[in-house]
């Protein structure tokens, strides 16, 4: 089990959020896994060049369960959800980074590392859980800070 490290928003996300292309309270948010660091200039799923592939992983990512986006402290909003369990199928899985993608609008949101950037190597039937940060969720914005 690991808490992912938030590295940043995809370059298009702030403008997309301002243009109401994301409704983080009701849109389907997927956790996508990568074999190397994502590129901040990616905008949509079609831009991704290093998404994980393998038995036990769904292309486009897994939908997060119990997603919430709302105010947790004065002037701060947090995107949170349950942790996501990844279980390798035949041949295993190796990944190091994650992204959140709005599956409803097909727009990328943010990205980070799974375990300090080290490869996570799962043998067949092994599982790994990514849990959002207990305080900051997947990300928290507001009051001049992004965490």
């Amino acid at each position: 089990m690991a808490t992912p490290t938030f590295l940043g928003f995809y370059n298009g996300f702030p403008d997309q959020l301002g243009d109401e292309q994301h409704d983080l309270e009701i849109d389907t948010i997927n956790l996508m896994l990568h074999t190397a660091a994502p590129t901040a200039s990616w905008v949509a799923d079609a831009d991704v060049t290093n998404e994980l592939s393998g038995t036990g992983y769904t292309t486009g990512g897994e939908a997060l369960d119990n997603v919430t986006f709302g105010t947790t402290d004065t002037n701060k909003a947090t995107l949170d959800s349950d942790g996501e369990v990844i279980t390798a199928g035949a041949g295993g899985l190796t990944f190091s980074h994650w992204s959140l993608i709005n599956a409803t609008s097909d727009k990328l949101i943010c990205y980070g590392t799974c375990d300090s950037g080290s490869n996570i190597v799962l043998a067949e039937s092994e599982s790994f859980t990514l849990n959002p940060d207990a305080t900051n969720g997947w990300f928290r914005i507001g009051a001049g800070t992004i965490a």
Side-chain angles (χ1 to χ4, degrees):
M1 184 168 16
T3 299
T5 301
F6 173 87
L7 293 179
F9 290 107
Y10 285 99
N11 294 347
F13 177 72
D15 287 339
Q16 295 162 6
L17 192 60
D19 292 341
E20 299 178 3
Q21 295 179 34
H22 297 276
D23 188 337
L24 298 174
E25 294 177 304
I26 57 175
D27 290 348
T28 299
I29 309 300
N30 285 5
L31 175 69
M32 182 183 287
L33 299 174
H34 303 278
T35 57
T39 301
S41 61
W42 294 342
V43 175
D45 187 24
D47 298 328
V48 176
T49 59
N50 62 4
E51 183 178 7
L52 178 66
S53 65
T55 306
Y57 177 76
T58 302
T59 301
E62 295 291 333
L64 296 175
D65 295 317
N66 298 312
V67 174
T68 59
F69 181 70
T71 303
T72 54
D73 292 319
T74 305
N75 300 321
K76 296 177 185 168
T78 301
L79 181 73
D80 205 356
S81 74
D82 291 345
E84 191 63 36
V85 178
I86 298 99
T87 302
L93 296 171
T94 301
F95 55 93
S96 59
H97 291 74
W98 58 272
S99 291
L100 295 185
I101 182 170
N102 183 331
T104 305
S105 68
D106 190 40
K107 304 287 186 191
L108 294 162
I109 299 171
C110 62
Y111 58 95
T113 63
C114 296
D115 190 22
S116 302
S118 300
N119 277 339
I120 305 298
V121 180
L122 301 178
E124 183 176 347
S125 301
E126 281 189 313
S127 294
F128 181 82
T129 303
L130 274 175
N131 287 308
D133 183 80
T135 301
N136 297 315
W138 293 101
F139 65 82
R140 183 161 80 165
I141 55 177
T145 62
I146 298 174

